[in-house]
Amino acid sequence: TFDTATGKGKVVAHLPSAIGHASAFRFQDKFLILGGRTDASSGAMTDQMWWFDPTTGKFTDAGRLPYVLADAAIVTGGNFAYVVGGESPHPITTILRITFTKE
């Protein structure tokens, strides 16, 4: 969290594993975190996805992408999200659509 009035911040959670260059977006009351780089020196990437619940600070497995992915843009609307481009491990031209069903 970051308080703009005081200029102070604090860590509210830690990722299940170290990642950089991941993408994330909000869906309803949770956040979906997807892909990213797991090792800066080798450039290793992941296809892992996690749900993050900010009310509990907990992460749960959200499955896997069809391929490793980092640095993708996200566009959301209604019950879907588009995952646009990114690297896998080189720049890619794909657009994935993630559709959410009611729980």
Side-chain angles (χ1 to χ4, degrees):
T1 60
F2 183 78
D3 185 333
T4 57
T6 64
K8 295 183 180 186
K10 71 176 184 171
V11 173
V12 296
H14 290 277
L15 292 162
S17 60
I19 58 170
H21 303 262
S23 299
F25 62 93
R26 181 178 180 213
F27 179 71
Q28 296 179 350
D29 60 345
K30 295 180 183 171
F31 293 86
L32 185 64
I33 301 166
L34 50 104
R37 295 190 182 276
T38 58
D39 186 330
S41 61
S42 71
M45 303 166 79
T46 184
D47 59 358
Q48 181 68 48
M49 297 188 297
W50 299 274
W51 282 111
F52 172 64
D53 184 338
T55 59
T56 64
K58 303 286 184 194
F59 291 85
T60 55
D61 186 357
R64 296 200 172 269
L65 294 160
Y67 44 80
V68 296
L69 184 66
D71 298 311
I74 305 289
V75 179
T76 62
N79 69 332
F80 64 89
Y82 286 105
V83 181
V84 181
E87 295 181 320
S88 183
H90 302 288
I92 58 175
T93 61
T94 57
I95 298 174
L96 295 173
R97 180 180 168 114
I98 299 173
T99 303
F100 302 98
T101 56
K102 293 182 181 181
E103 295 179 357

